[in-house]
Amino acid sequence: MKTERIKTDILIIGGGTAGCYAAVTAAENSDKQILICEKAHIKRSGCLAAGVNALNAYITEGRTPQDYADYCIKDAHGIAREDLLLTMSQRLKAVTERLEREGLVILRDEQGKYVTRGDRNIKINGENIKPLLADMAQRQPNVRVLNRVNITDIDVTGGRINGAFGIGIGDGTFYIIEASAVLMATGGAAGLYKPNNPGFSRHKMWYCPFNTGAGYAMGIRHGAEMTTFEMRFIALRCKDTIAPTGTLAQGVGAKQVNVLGEVYEQKYGLTTSERVYGTAAENAAGRGPCFLRTEGITKDQEQSLLKAYLNMAPSQTLKWLENGELPGENNVEIEGTEPYIVGGHTASGFWVDADRATTIKGLYAAGDAAGGAPQKYVTGALAEGEIAAQSMLRYLDRNEPSGISEESIARHLSEAGRFLSTSDSPYTPEQLEEAMQTVMDNYAGGIRTNYRFSEKSLGIAEKRIIQLEALSDSLRAKDAQELMYIYELRERLTVCKTVIAHLRARKETRWHCFAENTDHPERDDEHWKVFVNSRFENGSTEIILRRVSEG
Amino acid sequence: MSIEINKNKCIGCGKCRDVCPGTLIALGEDRKAFIRYPRDCWGCTSCLKECPVYAISFFLGADMGGTGGRLHTEKEGDILKWITERPDGRVIVTEVDTRESNKY
C-alpha cells in the first residue's frame, strides 16, 4: 500500500456539523495547522446532507440557557449532565447568529425577531446548511481537508493520543497522521439494528446510515470511558419515508391518533421516549396503525408542507405527489424507527468534562460523539465544536507533540493489508451486517420485540455478536471501498457489545422503548438515578456507576 | 429508494461521485457515472442538486410504497425547482425560493 505521513497540530475526525465548526473556531483563533479527515466529502457529508427543517435548540425570547438545560434533563428523565447542557446552551444564540451571517436563511417577523416554533425552535431554510458550514471551514488558510479518507483507528500510548490511521477510499493510500490534539466528531451509530424496511430501501433510515459509530468504537478499544449507551434513541417518523414528524405536529398542529381516530398522545406523556412508546403501545394493543391527523388542513398549509419537506426529506414530498395522496386528504401514518446510539439526541457517547475532553489525554469529543448532553441537535453540535476547539488550543499550549511508533504503524499497515486481498472469504461485510442487525433486532430490543429485551435475551445477543466479531476476521476486500465496509462492520460490532453491556447494567426501565427491560419493568430512582458508564479493559467491559451530580 | 443516472445526459464531470455522503457513485470506463451500491442510497438528493445537466433522478423503492414516480431538481437563480414525474405521466413542479424560510 502507498503510505503518506502527515503531521498536524489538530486532527478533526469527521467533517460534519461539529467537526466543521471546530475547524473554523480553531483556525480563527490561532495559527495552528488543522486537518479535517472526512470519509466522504465535507460539502454534503453526515447528518445534514439533505438539509434540516428547523433549528431545534435555541434560546427564544424570555428563556434562559438554564431553562433549556432543565428541559433536556426532564426529557431524559433525570439522566443528563447539567454542566454540559449549560455550557452548550450559553452558546446557542451566538452560533445561530454566526450561521445567519454566513447565509443561513432564518425567518424573522416584522420587528426583526426570529419566528419561533414552540419554545425552543426557530424556522429556517436549512437545505444548504452543510454547504455553508463546509465553505466556512474550507476558506480558512490553516485548515486542510482530506476528503474520502476513512480514519480506522487512533494511536494511544500511556493514556495519551498521538494521532490516527486512515485509508483513502479513492486510491487506497494508507495515512499515518501525527497530531497533538484530536477531535472525535464522527457522529453516532446507525445500522446496528434491523431497519424498518430491510430490503431495497434499507438505508432509508432516520440517522445518517454512513455514521457507523466509528468514533465510539475507536474510543472503546483504547479504554475511553463511555456513558449512557443504554439510552438508545428511537425516532417517531412518517412511515416508510422515515421523514420528520415534528413539522406536522408542531407546524400544522397534527395530533397522534390511532386507527379508531382516538387522540392517544396525552395518555402516555409527551417526553421524547413517551411519544414513541405511545405509538408502540397502541400498535401492541391492536389499535394500530397510528397516524398524525393532517386531514382537513388548508391547501396553503399543504403547499407549505410540500416545500418544507423538500428542504430536508424529499422522499416524503415525492410520496405525497406521486400517488396523489396529499396530507390534507390523508392522515400521515407514523412508526417508530429502529434504535440508534446518538449523543446529540440522547445522552450516549464519550464521557467528557466541560472542556469536552475525553478520558484519553489530548482526545476531545463533540456533537453526536459526545455523551451526557442530549437534545443538542445542530446548534448544540456547533456549540460543542466551538468549546472543544478552544479547549484543544489551550491543550496545545501546555503539551509538547508526541509521535506514533514504527511498531504501531507496521501493525496497522499489516492489518489493512491482510483484509485487502483477492483471496476468498466465506462471508461478505454485507452478510455479517445483516446477521448483526438480526441479532440486535431479535435479542437486544429491536423493532421485532417492540423494543423490549430481557437479561436472557441480551445474553444470547452478546454471544452471537462475539461470534460475528470472530467471523469478521476472515473478511476480505478487493478495493478500498470494500475495506471501509469491513472496518465499518467491526466498528458497529464493537458498539453493539457496549450497548448490550449497558442495557444489561441498568436494572430498571427509566425510558420506555429506549431501554425497555422486561426483567425490571419499573423506574427505580432510589438505585438507578445514576449514569451507567463503561470502560473496555483486558477484553471485557467494566461498568462504572456515577452519580448524576458527578462530572 | 435510490437514484437513477441517465447515461445519455451524463457528461462524466464526477461531481455526483465527489459529493455522495456514502461514496456510492463511481465513474465507469465509459466515463459515465453509475451508482455502485443502489441499495445503500440514503435519499439525501445531494447528487441531484450537484448535477449540472440534471441527469439524476430519485425514486422510492416499492418496499416503501413507491409506484414508479421520479423526482429531480433544476436550479434557476435562487429558485430550486423540484420536478415530480408521476407514474401517470403528469409532471408537477414545486418551486422553492432558497431565500425563504420554511413556514413550518
Side-chain angles (χ1 to χ4, degrees):
Chain A
M1 288 173 92
K2 192 183 127 203
T3 63
E4 192 177 333
R5 199 163 179 151
I6 300 172
K7 272 189 202 296
T8 185
D9 296 312
I10 294 176
L11 167 65
I12 297 175
I13 306 178
T17 319
C20 282
Y21 207 77
V24 171
T25 305
E28 288 179 345
N29 292 287
S30 76
D31 55 3
K32 301 292 183 194
Q33 290 303 309
I34 299 137
L35 175 68
I36 300 177
C37 283
E38 164 57 53
K39 71 175 170 180
H41 189 293
I42 67 165
K43 187 171 183 184
R44 289 279 183 181
S45 59
C47 300
L48 297 178
V52 64
N53 61 326
L55 294 182
N56 289 326
Y58 187 74
I59 311 299
T60 57
E61 201 168 288
R63 300 277 170 177
T64 63
Q66 184 69 51
D67 292 334
Y68 193 82
D70 291 346
Y71 158 72
C72 297
I73 293 167
K74 191 171 168 224
D75 198 75
H77 299 203
I79 307 300
R81 287 261 302 274
E82 189 176 23
D83 59 332
L84 300 181
L85 287 165
L86 269 178
T87 47
M88 172 199 97
S89 302
Q90 283 153 0
R91 293 167 186 250
L92 292 174
K93 285 180 99 153
V95 297
T96 302
E97 283 157 18
R98 173 72 196 267
L99 274 196
E100 191 181 28
R101 287 198 299 279
E102 298 287 342
L104 182 71
V105 174
I106 305 182
L107 190 61
R108 287 177 179 274
D109 65 15
E110 285 150 10
Q111 283 85 46
K113 291 177 187 157
Y114 291 154
V115 176
T116 58
R117 190 185 89 170
D119 287 338
R120 296 166 289 273
N121 306 5
I122 56 174
K123 298 176 183 182
I124 64 168
N125 183 329
E127 188 281 318
N128 67 340
I129 190 167
K130 190 67 212 295
L132 282 177
L133 274 167
D135 184 56
M136 284 167 70
Q138 277 167 321
R139 66 170 193 256
Q140 308 294 333
N142 46 342
V143 171
R144 180 180 173 198
V145 181
L146 278 179
N147 288 311
R148 294 167 86 88
V149 171
N150 183 39
I151 298 296
T152 55
D153 200 6
I154 46 176
D155 190 80
V156 179
T157 46
R160 181 184 170 176
I161 193 107
N162 310 308
F165 301 99
I167 294 165
I169 294 162
D171 61 1
T173 300
F174 183 81
Y175 288 90
I176 303 141
I177 301 161
E178 291 174 309
S180 303
V182 176
L183 176 64
M184 203 56 96
T186 45
L192 307 176
Y193 286 82
K194 185 180 276 189
N196 294 92
N197 290 313
F200 182 77
S201 302
R202 63 189 181 184
H203 269 185
K204 185 65 267 180
M205 49 179 65
W206 165 74
Y207 196 57
C208 176
F210 314 116
N211 288 11
T212 55
Y216 301 148
M218 290 187 256
I220 291 165
R221 288 174 196 148
H222 289 278
E225 186 168 333
M226 311 304 280
T227 190
T228 323
F229 271 47
E230 75 283 10
M231 188 184 182
R232 307 171 303 165
F233 184 70
I234 299 160
L236 183 68
R237 302 296 269 191
C238 300
K239 184 163 169 55
D240 295 331
T241 59
I242 319 296
T245 50
T247 305
L248 297 169
Q250 297 179 44
V252 300
K255 297 276 181 222
Q256 287 171 233
V257 294
N258 62 23
V259 77
L260 306 170
E262 299 161 344
V263 176
Y264 62 83
E265 55 193 34
Q266 289 91 341
K267 230 163 104 181
Y268 300 94
L270 291 171
T271 64
T272 310
S273 55
E274 287 164 345
R275 280 179 177 276
V276 180
Y277 177 62
T279 304
E282 288 295 306
N283 285 333
R287 292 188 292 272
C290 298
F291 300 88
L292 278 169
R293 193 169 61 199
T294 52
E295 278 176 19
I297 62 168
T298 67
K299 281 285 157 199
D300 267 2
Q301 286 178 313
E302 198 171 78
Q303 264 308 305
S304 297
L305 283 180
L306 293 178
K307 290 185 185 183
Y309 276 95
L310 286 172
N311 287 333
M312 54 166 167
S315 308
Q316 185 61 41
T317 304
L318 177 58
K319 183 152 193 182
W320 278 327
L321 289 178
E322 82 168 58
N323 295 320
E325 289 172 1
L326 292 165
E329 289 134 34
N330 301 273
N331 291 335
V332 177
E333 192 176 335
I334 51 177
E335 65 184 343
T337 63
E338 75 279 16
Y340 307 91
I341 301 300
V342 51
H345 284 249
T346 47
S348 322
F350 280 88
W351 182 249
V352 292
D353 66 14
D355 286 343
R356 270 56 176 182
T358 72
T359 56
I360 293 174
K361 194 177 168 194
L363 179 68
Y364 293 75
D368 288 346
Q375 315 226 21
K376 59 184 82 140
Y377 306 128
V378 177
T379 42
L382 299 173
E384 282 200 336
E386 186 178 77
I387 294 168
Q390 290 167 350
S391 306
M392 286 191 292
L393 292 177
R394 289 195 298 275
Y395 175 85
L396 292 179
D397 286 341
R398 297 190 308 261
N399 291 278
E400 292 302 313
S402 54
I404 298 180
S405 72
E406 293 306 318
E407 181 277 324
S408 180
I409 294 170
R411 187 159 36 85
H412 285 85
L413 198 51
S414 130
E415 181 189 65
R418 183 165 54 82
F419 287 133
L420 200 57
S421 146
T422 49
S423 67
D424 282 338
S425 161
Y427 301 106
T428 62
E430 184 178 35
Q431 281 178 51
L432 297 193
E433 181 181 303
E434 284 177 2
M436 169 192 70
Q437 291 179 348
T438 302
V439 167
M440 295 300 283
D441 188 46
N442 287 348
Y443 305 113
I447 293 171
R448 181 188 165 103
T449 60
N450 237 351
Y451 310 116
R452 292 144 61 97
F453 56 86
S454 65
E455 285 181 19
K456 279 224 165 82
S457 73
L458 291 175
I460 300 171
E462 184 180 39
K463 198 172 143 206
R464 300 286 303 277
I465 294 296
I466 290 169
Q467 282 171 352
L468 291 170
E469 214 169 24
L471 287 181
S472 76
D473 282 334
S474 71
L475 291 171
R476 295 291 177 263
K478 290 186 176 54
D479 61 24
Q481 175 106 1
E482 288 185 8
L483 183 58
M484 175 176 75
Y485 292 150
I486 296 178
Y487 280 105
E488 288 181 341
L489 171 79
R490 289 162 70 89
E491 287 155 4
R492 286 181 165 123
L493 289 166
T494 299
V495 175
C496 284
K497 279 199 304 192
T498 305
V499 171
I500 292 166
H502 277 248
L503 289 172
R504 183 192 284 133
R506 182 175 286 283
K507 300 194 187 311
E508 64 157 356
T509 293
R510 177 160 297 262
W511 315 281
H512 281 307
C513 295
F514 290 8
E516 189 91 44
N517 188 329
T518 56
D519 293 321
H520 306 280
E522 304 295 331
R523 174 168 162 171
D524 176 2
D525 273 340
E526 194 190 328
H527 301 98
W528 290 102
K529 201 164 177 194
V530 292
F531 289 106
V532 173
N533 286 8
S534 66
R535 266 196 80 209
F536 185 72
E537 211 173 18
N538 303 323
S540 71
T541 307
E542 177 204 352
I543 295 291
I544 307 157
L545 301 182
R546 295 200 183 275
R547 286 201 310 275
V548 166
S549 57
E550 276 186 74
Chain B
M1 133 237 72
S2 197
I3 56 157
E4 201 175 61
I5 302 175
N6 183 331
K7 276 195 187 276
N8 297 324
K9 285 189 184 171
C10 176
I11 53 170
C13 69
K15 285 186 173 176
C16 56
R17 172 200 57 190
D18 293 344
V19 82
C20 174
T23 56
L24 306 175
I25 302 173
L27 287 187
E29 287 186 357
D30 56 358
R31 294 292 299 167
K32 303 283 186 184
F34 71 101
I35 178 154
R36 200 175 153 197
Y37 305 94
R39 289 155 66 99
D40 287 345
C41 173
W42 188 24
C44 72
T45 66
S46 299
C47 55
L48 276 68
K49 297 168 195 166
E50 205 66 26
C51 179
V53 293
Y54 312 128
I56 310 178
S57 61
F58 168 68
F59 66 95
L60 306 179
D63 57 345
M64 55 182 285
T67 54
R70 292 285 184 276
L71 180 69
H72 78 274
T73 59
E74 293 184 13
K75 188 113 197 244
E76 271 181 30
D78 289 319
I79 305 293
L80 188 59
K81 290 161 75 171
W82 293 83
I83 298 153
T84 306
E85 294 166 62
R86 290 181 17 151
D88 62 10
R90 231 180 101 197
V91 174
I92 301 170
V93 181
T94 314
E95 293 190 355
V96 176
D97 188 331
T98 55
R99 295 161 302 182
E100 277 179 14
S101 155
N102 286 353
K103 203 167 159 195
Y104 301 122

